[in-house]
Amino acid sequence: MSGGKSFFQPDNYKAEVGKDFKRITLYLCTTEDLNSSEEVTYSKYESPSSPEGVFNNEDLPDDLQNQICSDEEVARELQNQLDSEAQLSPDDVVHVSEEESPLSTLGETLRKPEDVIVKLRSEVDNDSIDNFFLVIRRGISLSRLLALWRWQEKRTPVTKVVRIRIIGENGIDSGAIAKEILETSITNIEQVMFPDGFPVDSTLHVQNGNYHTAGEISA
């Protein structure tokens, strides 16, 4: 933000004001729009020659003016990069075949979807008696399930075998209940967070880790 020495980050802003993200509203606008729509009073740098309610950069000390100019240059450069990426034509996109672009992870090459399943299965810890255990209600909402998953992840590594107990139903999960709940959850994730096969444009899902948790559930 103008006058600061560090780049603006929502986490730092949240810590500074001491409020939850849901209680913070940020507005982005140009200096011209700000000056024409709001009466901003800067008593510390108020200039008698400036119209009341109009903020003038010339009223600021030289170091703050330089910082504002530097911040504006960084913002314009980032915006130009975003604009150039958004204007890529279909001719700029390089298409390669599956054999030409294998996915490599931890020294291994994944060429087929089946290789991904095999890789994920090898990461599951079947040796320990400790399981990734969830107690839920049938018909639980997706947001509640994601929250419970993140809470349990703080206690048990997510690489453990998933076991689920449904409140009000007897029985020990030997894999079938977990499979049923995970399949239902993945369907809900697709409908809520990835409609039409694309992730929804939601800063909430990014900030609270919903996308990360959805990936773990799918894996």
Side-chain angles (χ1 to χ4, degrees), residues 66-81:
N66 295 335
Q67 182 63 44
I68 292 176
C69 293
S70 176
D71 293 343
E72 186 173 350
E73 290 178 0
V74 173
R76 291 184 182 278
E77 182 179 353
L78 292 175
Q79 187 62 52
N80 291 334
Q81 293 179 3

Side-chain angles (χ1 to χ4, degrees), residues 9 29 65 119 124 142 205 210:
Q9 293 181 345
C29 64
Q65 291 187 38
K119 174 61 180 176
V124 178
L142 178 60
H205 289 325
N210 281 350

